[in-house]
Amino acid sequence: MIKKVVIGLWILFLLIVLSVVLMFMGISKGWIGYMPSIEEIENPTYKYATQLFSEDGKVLGSWSISKENRLNTTYNELSPGLINALIATEDVRFANHSGIDLKAFARAVIKRGILMQKNAGGGSTISQQLAKQLYTEEVATDLSERLLQKPNEWVIAVNLERYYTKEEILTMYLNKFDFLNNAVGIKTAAYTYFNTTPKELKIEEAATLIGMCKNPSLYNPRRFNERSKGRRNVVLDQMRKAGYITEQECDSLQALPLELKYNPVDHKEGVATYFREYLRGVMTAKEPDKKKYRGWQMQKYYEDSLAWETNPLYGWCAKNKKKDGKNYSVYTDGLKIYTTIDSRMQQYAEEAVKEHLAGYLQPHFFREKRRSKTAPFSKDISTEEVNAILQRSVRQSERYNVMKTSGATEKEIEEAFNTPIEMSVFSWNGAKDTIMTPMDSIRYYKHFLRTGFMSMNPVNGHVKAYVGGPDYPYFQYDMAMVGRRQVGSTIKPFLYTQAMENGFTPCDEVRHVEYTFITETGEPYTPRNSMRDRYGEMVTLKWGLSRSSNWISVYLMNKLNPYALVKLIHNFGILNRDIQPTLSLCLGPCDISVGEMVSAYTAFANRGIRVAPLFVTRIEDNEGNIIANFTPEMEEVMSANSSYKMLDMLRSVINEGTGGRARRNYGLTVQMGGKTGTTNNHSDAWFMGFTPSLVSGVWVGGEDRDIHFDNMTYGQGAAMALPIWGLYMQKVYGDETLGYSQAEEFQVPEDFKPCEEDVSEVQQYQGTELDDLFN
């Protein structure tokens, strides 16, 4: 009887062993459960965020899919405290096993499975946990499911140990783990919770993050500070037991409060937000398909088609493929994009915008509109016109489109827009919680003045600073490179360039009087002028440009050829095809972006050579290989001699004309040129300023053209736009680390005489056939 029992037990034992062998064979072959291929194990799929770097080496931000904001970290970038904390807490025998810790597993089975002790510790090694992160999507909730899941993890863990070193496994684990709050991977987590890098994490900070590995939701330090602190102290005690820290160190670290330096990773927050969003749109653009553009978008189709053919950065992801033949993705491929933005100059630009708009201009605007029935619109338009504009804004809003798509009637939508709700709205002093109707919120936001600013190097095209509006989360329309507005008198230098190219000189004289001209259609045209200084006297062209006299400009336009001016404006890099060749063109009625104007003005500081904006210098893959380089695009738009003449006149705008505030109010002594601009009714205010090393442009105005100051005191370009430029330049020269000096000078030949005509360069545009102008 005993013999039969023994034989039966042996048979049972052998059957169990055979079953286990067959089970593991089935698992390894992929017959039971999921088993990744050798290729998948050797090349696990990671979704790494793309990082953007400034020219001075700072991280501007990152792009990722919503739940994979992971940044790659190497083993050498991990602090010893972080590695020790992980091993001591999660797998103290990590260095001695090959993927499976039988002792830990037996302890878990006996204490948790049989004795039902919840705090007995787990049996999974770091390698098993990594296998679970990489290849197991479902999380088991009870013991039976864990027992069925374990064999798969064991086999994968053993394979991981076979193909990777211990250091690589530790790094992969920390790169893969989700620390919540959009902090995926240790690099993002270190920045998000402690504003540092994995290498610089203090021991107590590392212990906090490793403590989250047990259950990140339960030990979330943002929500449960005391609970997370308790878990941190458990990790510190484990480090003491493992011999990584002394008992005295453990006691002192455990006594410390858990203090976070929380930096949420939000693509709408941080520095250079408008720039990052513009660049993302450029790089991820698809090849333009005319069928996808509406009739009113033909200008956009033209620009996109031109960019696709001529700009290697435009549609870069769609134009370039990885080794596996797939297109690059800025969301998952962990690219490193090195931009031309200088983080310090970007900060100064954003500060200048805030200081001027929030500290000076906006309070005056509020004050002017305080008692106006049509606020924030001009007093010159009717209540009916205001309501029409507001209704148009309603129909363009996301709320309206969502309700319309869901089948709501116009009456239901109107009722919703007039029902008060709780909301958080923008203010220059921070977000403000309030209760108002969606309709009132539309009108509220229209009270805030908008702006666009860009600064670039006139020689190599590097864009140093880029501000598309007051605050990206609330005002997302980009007025630096996307939006266009009338440019007013900032267009006049293009006209004067045409004159210089046609043999005029800055010293040529014209009588300063009101003129009436006959247009091409036979109608009389008498331009208005905001100043009557030296009326009736003979004045030079230089004086006329420095004072921005409309009479002198239209006089010149009448002597030259409007069609030729249109062509010249396009040569300056202006893409708007709807520029009309009329006498009034010289007063700036056409819409142009800040970025286009800044690029155009580089020709005045760069001997007649226009440089296109350069936003990126190179792109690297996630292994550090350079996969793309970018160089500036240049084009000569005027002769060097004409550029010297223009430089002489544009410097006079600052030294004796409408841009004089740049010196008086901001103490700038550097050689500089510039031009102010103000459109009809003060709807748009501009200032273009340049030095030998920087060309910058500013636009300030309302969301709609009917939102503006009703007086010239605050509504002109010198008051609305110039101060932003002045504050920015003041800050740039105040930072010696940037290397800019107010002693620098424009490079002009010593024998250059601005009032001498260069006969060899005179071009007779008048009488030229129109067909010849566009060939």
Side-chain angles (χ1 to χ4, degrees), residues 399-400 402-413 416:
R399 184 188 299 270
Y400 178 90
V402 169
M403 293 187 70
K404 196 71 175 176
T405 303
S406 64
T409 65
E410 288 294 330
K411 185 177 180 180
E412 290 172 331
I413 294 174

Side-chain angles (χ1 to χ4, degrees), residues 240 265 267 354 560 614 632 641 655-656 771:
R240 177 192 62 79
V265 180
H267 303 311
K354 184 174 182 179
L560 299 168
L614 187 70
N641 191 267
N655 296 331
E656 59 192 67
D771 290 342

Side-chain angles (χ1 to χ4, degrees), residues 70-295:
R70 182 185 292 107
L71 301 175
N72 188 36
T73 305
T74 64
Y75 183 80
N76 293 331
E77 294 174 324
L78 304 175
S79 68
L82 184 66
I83 296 169
N84 294 339
L86 177 61
I87 292 174
T89 307
E90 297 295 328
D91 191 356
V92 72
R93 284 176 289 278
F94 177 70
N96 302 318
H97 64 66
S98 298
I100 303 172
D101 187 345
L102 295 177
K103 183 177 180 180
F105 176 69
R107 182 193 68 232
V109 170
I110 294 171
K111 291 188 175 183
R112 299 186 67 179
I114 299 175
L115 301 179
M116 305 303 290
Q117 296 179 5
K118 293 183 179 180
N119 296 322
S124 295
T125 64
I126 291 175
S127 303
Q128 287 175 254
Q129 293 180 49
L130 177 60
K132 183 178 178 180
Q133 289 181 8
L134 289 173
Y135 305 112
T136 307
E137 294 183 357
E138 294 183 5
V139 179
T141 57
D142 55 45
L143 181 61
S144 61
E145 290 179 343
R146 287 291 290 171
L147 290 174
L148 291 173
Q149 187 179 356
K150 281 296 176 183
N152 281 73
E153 291 180 9
W154 288 346
V155 175
I156 297 174
V158 170
N159 283 332
L160 287 172
E161 292 271 352
R162 182 182 303 168
Y163 291 104
Y164 294 98
T165 65
K166 292 289 186 179
E167 290 80 6
E168 288 173 330
I169 289 173
L170 288 171
T171 306
M172 291 168 68
Y173 177 88
L174 290 171
N175 274 332
K176 184 69 176 176
F177 195 84
D178 186 348
F179 292 88
L180 301 185
N181 296 306
N182 203 25
V184 182
I186 190 63
K187 191 169 188 175
T188 310
Y191 173 79
T192 299
Y193 292 106
F194 298 107
N195 194 30
T196 188
T197 63
K199 188 76 172 179
E200 301 299 322
L201 279 170
K202 299 175 183 177
I203 293 177
E204 67 272 19
E205 294 171 341
T208 300
L209 295 177
I210 295 303
M212 295 178 70
C213 293
K214 182 175 182 179
N215 187 327
S217 297
L218 187 65
Y219 298 109
N220 183 343
R222 279 204 73 216
R223 297 187 61 194
F224 311 110
N225 187 279
E226 284 301 315
R227 186 188 297 168
S228 180
K229 178 184 175 182
R231 178 61 186 166
R232 178 202 69 179
N233 290 346
V234 169
V235 173
L236 290 170
D237 196 53
Q238 290 296 107
M239 294 178 71
R240 177 192 62 79
K241 291 178 181 178
Y244 292 125
I245 58 175
T246 65
E247 185 171 351
Q248 184 178 2
E249 287 175 320
C250 180
D251 292 340
S252 62
L253 291 173
Q254 286 180 333
L256 294 174
L258 200 169
E259 296 179 344
L260 301 178
K261 297 178 182 176
Y262 187 65
N263 291 286
V265 180
D266 188 336
H267 303 311
K268 294 182 180 180
E269 301 287 350
V271 69
T273 46
Y274 288 95
F275 170 78
R276 286 187 275 131
E277 180 59 21
Y278 172 75
L279 189 58
R280 185 193 65 81
V282 168
M283 292 189 64
T284 60
K286 305 298 182 183
E287 184 174 4
D289 182 353
K290 193 172 184 178
K291 297 177 182 177
K292 297 180 179 179
Y293 292 78
R294 297 183 179 181

Side-chain angles (χ1 to χ4, degrees), residues 720-749:
M720 290 182 71
L722 185 150
I724 293 176
W725 184 86
L727 289 167
Y728 167 75
M729 294 302 296
Q730 204 175 51
K731 294 172 185 290
V732 167
Y733 285 120
D735 186 345
E736 295 182 357
T737 65
L738 292 173
Y740 294 99
S741 169
Q742 295 207 57
E744 63 179 343
E745 298 180 351
F746 291 106
Q747 298 299 308
V748 179

Side-chain angles (χ1 to χ4, degrees), residues 351-549:
E351 288 175 356
V353 166
K354 184 174 182 179
E355 287 175 26
H356 180 56
L357 290 189
Y360 177 78
L361 203 61
Q362 195 66 57
H364 283 292
F365 190 71
F366 284 149
R367 196 172 298 119
E368 179 184 288
K369 305 299 179 183
R370 187 166 46 200
R371 294 183 177 85
S372 173
K373 293 181 180 180
T374 58
F377 300 91
S378 169
K379 61 180 176 57
D380 296 327
I381 69 172
S382 66
T383 303
E384 291 73 19
E385 291 174 306
V386 169
N387 291 334
I389 295 172
L390 292 175
Q391 285 301 320
R392 185 169 64 245
S393 296
V394 166
R395 291 191 295 273
Q396 293 172 344
S397 69
E398 182 180 0
R399 184 188 299 270
Y400 178 90
N401 290 324
V402 169
M403 293 187 70
K404 196 71 175 176
T405 303
S406 64
T409 65
E410 288 294 330
K411 185 177 180 180
E412 290 172 331
I413 294 174
E414 182 181 358
E415 183 178 348
F417 269 85
N418 288 286
T419 301
I421 58 174
E422 293 183 358
M423 62 177 69
S424 179
V425 297
F426 169 81
S427 83
W428 278 112
N429 295 319
K432 182 169 62 176
D433 293 329
T434 186
I435 297 176
M436 67 171 68
T437 68
M439 176 61 81
D440 287 340
S441 73
I442 290 175
R443 194 162 189 161
Y444 171 81
Y445 278 110
K446 286 183 180 293
H447 276 80
F448 290 94
L449 296 171
R450 313 301 167 83
T451 188
F453 175 91
M454 199 170 92
S455 181
M456 65 182 279
N457 184 303
V459 178
N460 60 21
H462 287 202
V463 175
K464 300 295 187 179
Y466 184 116
V467 183
D471 189 280
Y472 183 75
Y474 295 96
F475 309 99
Q476 295 185 15
Y477 191 69
D478 181 357
M479 289 304 299
M481 281 295 294
V482 179
R484 287 189 170 99
R485 292 293 284 263
Q486 290 183 356
V487 292
S489 293
T490 55
I491 203 173
K492 290 176 181 176
F494 305 151
L495 168 72
Y496 278 71
T497 296
Q498 183 187 9
M500 297 306 106
E501 290 283 86
N502 274 273
F504 288 82
T505 75
C507 299
D508 289 346
E509 293 188 334
V510 179
R511 191 169 301 281
H512 194 231
V513 294
E514 184 175 79
Y515 293 94
T516 297
F517 301 99
I518 304 301
T519 67
E520 194 174 49
T521 59
E523 300 171 348
Y525 172 61
T526 304
R528 293 185 299 172
N529 206 36
S530 61
M531 49 88 76
R532 300 181 69 85
D533 295 0
R534 298 187 62 181
Y535 186 85
E537 297 182 23
M538 297 296 290
V539 298
T540 63
L541 296 184
K542 179 178 179 178
W543 185 93
L545 182 59
S546 70
R547 271 68 173 184
S548 199
S549 171

